[in-house]
């Protein structure tokens, strides 16, 4: 394994973790707003406060980890993506701020439960994946172009490309699906039958769109980036496994059985698909300008970063374990029997 | 839009984001220590007031942290968006502390979540206090790592440039730049000092508003003592920072002091205005600049005449330096008066005008933080990486920075106003007296 591969694998893994935890967070906000406006009053509000409020900052750090890490391992990405992404990334930052401030102002703070705020919080959960996911489309090439040796983003090409839109739709469907499956499990553990039923229904509704759009993207790629498409097809069997895991999740949810396992299978489904996609993207970070090899940092920095990463993990894993034990696996806490907020 | 223009706009946006983030970051670094001290005193003295103090501070703290996290994410991403050329270069040499910082964030965020949601969950209060240690350490570590990056920008080392290529990169050497020790120490001391004075402001304000509860008196005395300790530390380390500048960034010190010609036995210029090259209405303290720079009254201090004209920072940083130092001296003196008077039982410290002065202390410390950062950052101009890369070469070529300035100005306005509204509402709805009474009632109930 070369240093480049280690670097990109670490980043890709953390991006995957971010996609999962952020999807739960984004989707929950949307479902919360949706039920508030369809007068299924606050079935979810409790769960959101019990689970999401203590962990949202941790979720955010996964995002920070990714963009700091990619500049560290592949400094040249700053040049290409940094210049091109000014507007979309700034919009994403504003949306992230809406979410962060909702937790701060509405759930910890003065309990401002203004309907407008709930609505914005919910909406930002959908707009965020929609504003972040086009970066994946950009990495396929053809949208970031060069003029006088300077990169710029061709918005017209980006917004008229079916590839962009299918990725956006996939990200929305996936967010809602992941979130619904997780919340079904969490609500079930909390012994909240009403919330479980509601979330189970959402999970089943969003399963279809998630798998259809995911398949659709593979075919969009054929027209857009043939090289990537062929590499993707070489890995058909991994996508096959992913699909079987998907069927497993839906089956369990349908049968109202083992929600915990349903969620684990879902992680497996996304993990296999995410890594197969990443692997087929190799070695490009940005078609056709950047590969992980020519954008890589120097060797001494790479080694230092990897050492720091291992040391950091040594701190991180036990802490995360503690966090989850207290807020995810503690029966009394999950059921809301005890309230120890400062 | 021209190249120079986007560089200017990028500077404005960076300035805005950093100036906003630093307020929350400073509180984020300092307040955990204050909470820890209060809770510790409470446990040791078995005094419920201090425990409640810690708890109420912690509640407010969550709000500022959340905004700190949001704005920190903004500046983190903006560094790459606005300064892609700089990050491409810097990423090769100074990415290590930035990367380590992320782990500090993780550590802090995780334990903060746990700490906040586990009040009274443990039989033994000390266990709960233990959870706060990683929060304080994580916050201090994140300020350490980011300040290391900033120190590197001021005195880069740990690499060589050969035919435009970076060679012999040593990430550790880059972290241990000459600016690092004083900068890190000064930033941390000022964060602790500022947090202490901010919390003192709140206590004094409640007392002016007529609340005469012993709780506020305890809070005020504790925070003023801490403020005194850390403001003395700040002034001492600030003096070392001056010596660092004289050695490694003499142009910054000379510009701050309007020191045009190299000379021995240089005097320190305080206040005043500049008319061409003539300094008017200033107080000149003889030999003081030589002492600040080299600890000797007759030492030679490098003047601006030794530098090319286009490598001299703007001269208005003098006002920033003055602001910071004056506030520092004032707060050290003032907290000393308070603590001494409280010991001796002098009553003028209970007068209304004196309490208003205490209230002013917190905001003044924040002003000094802003002045200090503007001073170092503007004083580094025209360089972004001193001696290697100019700010104008580092900026993005994107044409939409102006729109982003408007977008973020609106965002920071809302976040800032939101913080103030939410914090004041939170404490107004649940005053100390009420909470103490509730706790008494609850305890009584448990015993029956
Ligand atoms: C509460 C805030 C505060 C107060 C009261 C002071 N400072 Fe300060 N100062 C800072 C807050 C600050 C800061 C925000 O932390 C800076 C900006 C960047 C940095 O490294 O620290 C800083 C930088 C800074 C620098 C520049 C270091 C550099 O560019 O590398 C010097 C020379 C001093 N300070 C000196 C002093 C002196 C002699 C003070 C006398 C009491 C003083 N400061 C009070
Ligand atoms: C260019 C400068 C800076 C960058 C890029 C930056 C980046 C960040 C980021 C990304 C976060 C969010 C972390 C999260 O998601 O939890 C953050 C928060 C934080 N930053 Fe900054 N930061 C900068 C300056 C500073 C400085 C100078 C300090 C200290 C003096 C500081 C102290 C903190 C602290 C303590 C937090 C945690 C949140 C809080 O407690 O308020 N930062 N910063
Ligand atoms: C959090 C504390 C900091 C504050 C308040 C701060 C403040 C500022 C200000 C006011 C400017 C604009 C200077 C001008 O327009 O003349 C600036 C510029 C800049 N700072 Fe800092 N700074 C901080 C720390 C850092 C750190 C830690 C880094 C590096 C990671 C950094 C990177 C930059 C960059 C890239 C610029 C743009 C170039 C420039 O105009 O100097 N800053 N900062």
């Amino acid at each position: 394994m070369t240093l480049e591969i280690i670097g990109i694998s670490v980043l890709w893994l953390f991006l995957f973790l971010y996609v999962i935890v952020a999807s739960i967070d984004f989707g929950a906000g949307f479902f919360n707003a949706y039920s508030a406006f369809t007068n299924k009053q606050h079935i979810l509000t409790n769960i959101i406060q019990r689970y999401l409020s203590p962990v949202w900052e941790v979720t955010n750090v996964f995002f920070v980890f990714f963009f700091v890490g990619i500049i560290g391992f592949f400094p040249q990405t700053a040049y290409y993506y940094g210049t091109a992404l000014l507007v979309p990334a700034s919009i994403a930052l504003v949306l992230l701020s809406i979410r962060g401030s909702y937790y701060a102002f509405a759930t910890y703070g003065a309990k401002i439960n203004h309907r407008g705020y709930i609505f914005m919080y919910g909406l930002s959960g959908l707009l965020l994946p929609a504003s972040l996911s086009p970066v994946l489309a950009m990495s396929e090439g053809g949208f970031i172009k060069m003029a006088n040796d300077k990169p710029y983003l061709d918005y017209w090409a980006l917004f008229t490309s079916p590839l962009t839109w299918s990725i956006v739709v996939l990200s929305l469907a996936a967010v809602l699906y992941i979130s619904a499956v997780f919340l079904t499990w969490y609500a079930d553990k909390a012994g909240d039958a009403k919330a479980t039923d509601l979330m189970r229904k959402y999970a089943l509704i969003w399963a279809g769109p998630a798998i259809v759009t995911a398949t659709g993207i593979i075919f969009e790629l054929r027209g857009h980036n043939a090289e990537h498409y062929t590499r993707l097809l070489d890995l058909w069997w991994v996508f096959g496994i992913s699909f079987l895991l998907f069927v497993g999740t839906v089956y369990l949810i349908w049968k109202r059985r083992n929600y915990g396992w349903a969620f684990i299978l879902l992680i497996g489904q996304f993990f296999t698909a995410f890594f197969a996609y990443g692997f087929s993207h190799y070695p490009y970070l940005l078609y056709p300008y950047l590969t992980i090899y020519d954008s890589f940092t120097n060797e001494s920095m790479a080694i230092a970063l990897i050492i720091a990463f291992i040391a950091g993990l040594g701190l991180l894993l036990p802490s995360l374990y503690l966090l989850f034990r207290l807020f995810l696996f503690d029966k009394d806490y999950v059921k809301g029997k005890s309230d120890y907020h400062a | 839009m021209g190249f120079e223009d986007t560089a200017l706009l990028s500077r404005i946006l960076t300035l805005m984001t950093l100036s906003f983030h630093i307020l929350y970051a400073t509180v984020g670094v300092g307040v955990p220590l204050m909470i820890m001290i209060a809770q510790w005193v409470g446990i040791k003295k078995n005094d419920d007031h201090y425990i409640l103090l810690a708890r109420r501070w912690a509640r407010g703290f969550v709000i500022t942290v959340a905004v700190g996290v949001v704005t920190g994410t903004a500046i983190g991403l903006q560094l790459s968006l606005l300064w892609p050329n700089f990050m491409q270069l810097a990423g090769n040499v100074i990415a290590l502390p930035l990367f380590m910082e992320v782990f500090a964030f993780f550590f802090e965020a995780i334990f903060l979540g746990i700490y906040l949601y586990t009040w009274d969950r443990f039989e033994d209060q000390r266990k709960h206090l233990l959870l706060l240690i990683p929060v304080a350490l994580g916050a201090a570590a994140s300020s350490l790592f980011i300040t290391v990056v900033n120190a590197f920008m001021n005195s880069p080392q740990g690499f060589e440039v050969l035919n435009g290529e970076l060679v012999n990169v040593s990430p550790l050497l880059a972290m241990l730049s000459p600016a690092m020790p004083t900068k890190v120490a000064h930033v941390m001391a000022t964060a602790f000092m500022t947090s202490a004075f901010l919390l003192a402001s709140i206590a004094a304000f409640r007392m002016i508003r007529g609340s005469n509860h012993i709780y506020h008196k305890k809070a005020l005395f504790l925070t003023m003592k801490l403020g005194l300790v850390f403001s003395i530390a700040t002034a001492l380390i600030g003096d070392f920072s001056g010596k660092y500048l004289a050695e490694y960034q003499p142009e910054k010190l000379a510009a701050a002091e309007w020191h045009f010609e190299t000379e021995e036995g240089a005097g320190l210029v305080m206040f005043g205005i500049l008319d061409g090259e003539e300094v008017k209405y200033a107080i000149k303290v003889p030999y003081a600049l030589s002492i600040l720079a080299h600890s000797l009254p007759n030492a030679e201090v490098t003047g601006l005449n030794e530098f090319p004209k286009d490598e001299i920072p703007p001269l208005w940083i003098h006002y920033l330096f003055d602001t910071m130092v004056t506030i520092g001296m004032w707060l050290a003196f003032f907290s000393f008066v308070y603590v001494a008077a409280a010991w001796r039982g002098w009553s003028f410290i209970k007068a209304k005008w004196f309490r208003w002065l205490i209230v002013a202390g917190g905001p003044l410390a924040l002003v000094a933080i802003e002045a200090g950062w503007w001073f170092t950052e503007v004083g580094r101009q025209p360089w972004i990486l001193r001696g290697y890369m100019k700010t104008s070469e580092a900026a993005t070529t994107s044409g939409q920075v102006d729109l982003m300035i408007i977008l973020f100005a609106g965002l920071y306005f809302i976040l800032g106003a939101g913080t103030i509204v939410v914090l004041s509402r939170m404490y107004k709805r649940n005053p100390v007296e009420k909470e103490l009474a509730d706790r008494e009632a609850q305890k009584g109930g448990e015993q029956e």
Side-chain angles (χ1 to χ4, degrees):
Chain A
M1 243 205 208
T2 61
L3 290 173
E4 287 88 347
I5 303 272
I6 297 180
I8 194 67
S9 308
V10 163
L11 292 173
W12 199 240
L13 177 67
F14 271 70
L15 186 61
F16 172 74
L17 294 176
Y18 180 65
V19 166
I20 296 293
V21 286
S23 294
I24 293 173
D25 185 303
F26 296 163
F30 173 77
F31 290 130
N32 179 44
Y34 181 75
S35 41
F37 283 85
T38 49
N39 290 327
K40 295 195 187 70
Q41 257 331 20
H42 303 310
I43 295 182
L44 289 169
T45 308
N46 238 335
I47 293 182
I48 289 177
Q49 292 197 349
R50 303 205 72 71
Y51 168 70
L52 291 177
S53 297
V55 302
W56 79 270
E57 281 171 34
V58 183
T59 307
N60 191 60
V61 186
F62 279 101
F63 178 55
V64 176
F65 183 100
F66 181 74
F67 69 69
V68 170
I70 198 159
I71 303 294
F73 280 105
F74 306 98
Q76 271 201 347
T77 49
Y79 181 66
Y80 286 93
Y81 282 106
T83 311
L85 286 180
L86 178 67
V87 176
S90 297
I91 292 173
L93 281 172
V94 171
L95 294 169
L96 275 176
S97 308
I98 294 178
R99 302 187 68 74
S101 68
Y102 176 83
Y103 290 116
F105 298 162
T107 69
Y108 312 136
K111 311 261 186 271
I112 304 176
N113 270 323
H114 191 270
R115 282 174 84 83
Y117 212 171
I118 296 180
F119 176 71
M120 295 233 300
Y121 169 71
L123 190 67
S124 69
L126 290 188
L127 293 178
L128 261 168
S131 69
L132 290 174
S133 59
V135 179
L136 282 181
M138 289 174 210
S139 75
E140 298 294 345
F143 304 120
I144 295 180
K145 298 180 176 162
M146 303 295 280
N148 302 328
D149 251 358
K150 304 218 162 54
Y152 75 98
L153 180 59
D154 184 344
Y155 287 97
W156 178 253
L158 184 69
F159 286 126
T160 51
S161 159
L163 178 67
T164 313
W165 292 106
S166 19
I167 290 184
V168 168
V169 175
L170 168 66
S171 72
L172 293 180
V175 158
L176 294 173
Y177 175 58
I178 294 173
S179 182
V181 172
F182 174 82
L183 290 172
T184 309
W185 174 45
Y186 196 83
D188 183 52
K189 272 182 66 123
D192 186 339
K194 255 177 146 176
T196 314
D197 265 358
L198 184 66
M199 292 321 300
R200 173 179 167 272
K201 202 176 85 197
Y202 290 149
L204 291 176
I205 289 176
W206 287 103
I211 201 76
V212 171
T213 46
T215 322
I217 284 178
I218 298 182
F219 291 99
E220 288 300 337
L221 260 185
R222 182 159 66 175
H224 192 85
N225 183 338
E227 188 184 342
H228 190 182
Y229 176 71
T230 0
R231 288 191 53 104
L232 211 56
L233 286 196
D234 289 344
L235 292 171
W236 64 270
W237 55 277
V238 189
F239 290 102
I241 295 175
S242 179
F243 182 75
L244 291 181
L245 292 167
F246 166 78
V247 174
T249 308
V250 174
Y251 177 79
L252 289 176
I253 300 257
W254 177 257
K255 287 282 172 193
R256 298 173 196 272
R257 279 220 300 261
N258 297 26
Y259 292 132
W261 272 103
F263 183 64
I264 291 171
L265 294 183
L266 171 128
I267 302 263
Q269 174 209 336
F270 277 86
F271 185 85
T272 42
F274 200 76
F275 271 79
Y277 173 84
F279 194 73
S280 63
H281 211 289
Y282 169 89
Y284 286 99
L285 287 171
L286 171 62
Y287 281 95
Y289 302 111
L290 269 190
T291 68
I292 60 173
Y293 295 103
D294 49 45
S295 65
F296 200 57
T297 186
N298 54 78
E299 194 179 324
S300 36
M301 179 57 78
I303 292 172
L305 290 176
I306 290 170
I307 293 173
F309 176 73
I310 293 169
L313 270 194
L315 267 182
L316 185 61
L317 292 180
S319 324
L320 276 179
Y321 171 75
L322 189 65
L323 183 74
F324 285 141
R325 223 190 65 176
L326 288 170
F327 297 119
L328 200 54
F329 302 125
D330 185 282
K331 286 231 160 56
D332 283 349
Y333 183 82
V334 174
K335 291 199 170 136
K337 282 204 186 125
S338 44
D339 183 12
Y340 297 112
H341 187 304
Chain B
M1 208 176 302
F3 194 51
E4 280 296 320
D5 277 341
T6 54
L8 180 67
L9 292 171
S10 302
R11 286 174 66 178
I12 295 174
L13 183 49
T14 305
L15 181 150
M16 220 165 67
T17 305
L18 279 165
S19 303
F20 193 66
H21 175 64
I22 194 60
L23 299 175
Y24 292 90
T26 303
V27 169
V29 174
V31 168
L33 184 74
M34 304 298 140
I35 300 177
M36 225 162 91
I37 293 174
Q39 200 175 358
W40 183 67
V41 172
I43 292 172
K44 231 184 68 174
K45 291 193 178 166
N46 200 7
D47 183 336
D48 222 23
H49 287 156
Y50 286 101
I51 305 246
L52 188 60
L53 193 61
R55 188 164 185 166
R56 288 172 68 89
W57 284 348
R59 261 183 232 146
F61 179 61
V62 203
I63 308 224
T64 58
V65 170
V67 182
V69 166
V70 164
T71 52
T73 310
I75 182 60
L77 208 50
Q78 274 178 5
L79 279 181
S80 300
L81 298 174
L82 297 173
W83 309 101
N85 304 330
F86 167 68
M87 288 307 277
Q88 187 183 357
L89 178 75
N92 278 297
V93 192
I94 199 68
L96 182 60
L98 281 174
F99 191 62
M100 286 155 78
E101 193 187 12
V102 181
F103 286 100
F105 290 147
F106 264 128
F107 205 49
E108 181 191 355
I110 290 173
F111 281 93
L112 185 63
I114 298 178
Y115 177 78
L116 287 172
Y117 284 85
T118 50
W119 275 89
D120 299 340
R121 191 158 161 181
F122 301 102
E123 279 295 316
D124 188 350
Q125 279 268 2
R126 279 175 301 183
K127 273 196 196 154
H128 187 232
L129 178 59
L130 225 52
L131 286 172
L132 193 57
I133 295 174
V135 179
L137 281 181
S142 51
S143 78
L144 167 90
F145 291 129
I146 195 68
T147 313
V148 165
V149 178
N150 187 263
F152 170 80
M153 294 166 70
N154 281 286
S155 53
Q157 66 169 30
F159 65 99
E160 282 165 52
V161 183
L162 204 73
N163 305 330
E165 297 269 320
L166 290 174
V167 292
N168 286 339
V169 174
S170 162
L172 279 183
L173 214 59
M175 286 177 68
L176 302 173
S177 62
M180 193 276 274
T182 45
K183 210 171 201 114
V184 168
H186 197 55
V187 166
M188 284 198 194
T190 53
F192 297 139
M193 159 186 174
T194 306
S195 303
F197 283 118
L198 274 174
L199 296 170
S201 295
I202 298 173
F205 186 72
R206 301 298 334 155
M207 290 164 88
I208 291 174
R209 282 289 134 100
S211 166
N212 235 335
H213 203 282
I214 177 89
Y215 168 92
H216 296 301
K217 290 183 190 151
K218 288 179 180 167
L220 189 59
F221 191 50
L222 178 69
T223 48
M224 287 301 272
K225 271 190 294 190
L226 290 169
L228 173 62
V229 171
F230 287 116
S231 54
I232 293 174
T234 294
L236 283 178
I237 304 166
D239 180 56
F240 287 124
S241 305
K243 294 184 175 26
Y244 151 79
L245 284 186
E247 178 87 23
Y248 294 94
Q249 289 183 281
E251 75 284 5
K252 197 192 268 185
L253 187 65
E257 280 303 319
W258 292 339
H259 185 60
F260 297 102
E261 307 288 332
T262 301
E263 65 179 351
E264 293 176 3
L268 186 82
V269 178
M270 288 183 69
F271 312 109
I273 56 169
L274 197 62
D275 186 7
E277 276 220 350
E278 196 188 342
V279 181
K280 284 188 179 162
Y281 316 114
I283 305 171
K284 198 153 180 171
V285 191
Y287 303 112
L289 183 56
S290 287
I291 295 177
L292 174 69
H294 302 289
S295 307
L296 293 171
N298 276 319
E300 183 180 277
V301 181
T302 315
L304 288 174
N305 59 334
E306 316 241 344
F307 298 92
K309 274 231 154 33
D310 60 349
E311 288 181 13
I312 292 177
L315 293 179
W316 58 270
I317 59 173
H318 174 75
Y319 306 112
L320 299 172
F321 189 58
D322 271 357
T323 308
M324 170 180 73
V325 175
T326 311
I327 293 175
M329 295 299 190
W330 162 250
L331 286 176
F333 166 77
F334 175 72
S335 52
F336 175 75
V337 169
Y338 176 89
V339 173
W343 244 316
R344 315 230 81 201
W346 291 334
S347 64
F348 70 89
I349 54 170
K350 295 190 182 129
K352 210 166 191 178
W353 62 269
F354 195 88
R355 285 192 177 148
W356 276 116
L357 284 181
I358 305 179
V359 173
L364 274 181
L366 287 178
V367 171
I369 292 277
E370 295 286 0
W373 275 109
W374 285 40
F375 163 52
T376 35
E377 297 296 301
V378 179
R380 194 186 58 232
Q381 302 307 313
W383 302 106
I384 189 165
L385 193 60
R386 186 177 177 275
Y388 291 93
M389 185 184 254
K390 293 213 167 144
T391 307
S392 54
E393 303 158 350
T396 177
T397 45
S398 168
Q400 284 110 354
V401 184
D402 43 1
L403 281 177
M404 297 304 114
I405 293 181
I406 299 171
L407 183 72
F408 282 100
L411 177 67
Y412 300 146
F413 178 78
I414 293 171
L415 289 178
T419 314
I420 295 171
V421 170
V422 169
L423 280 179
S424 51
R425 248 207 236 177
M426 204 163 112
Y427 289 110
K428 222 175 258 164
R429 278 194 196 165
N430 188 12
V432 165
E433 287 79 1
K434 181 165 159 268
E435 192 167 351
L436 280 170
D438 286 353
R439 283 169 76 91
E440 282 304 314
Q442 205 183 6
K443 269 195 195 151
E446 272 163 21
Q447 272 156 15
E448 272 161 29

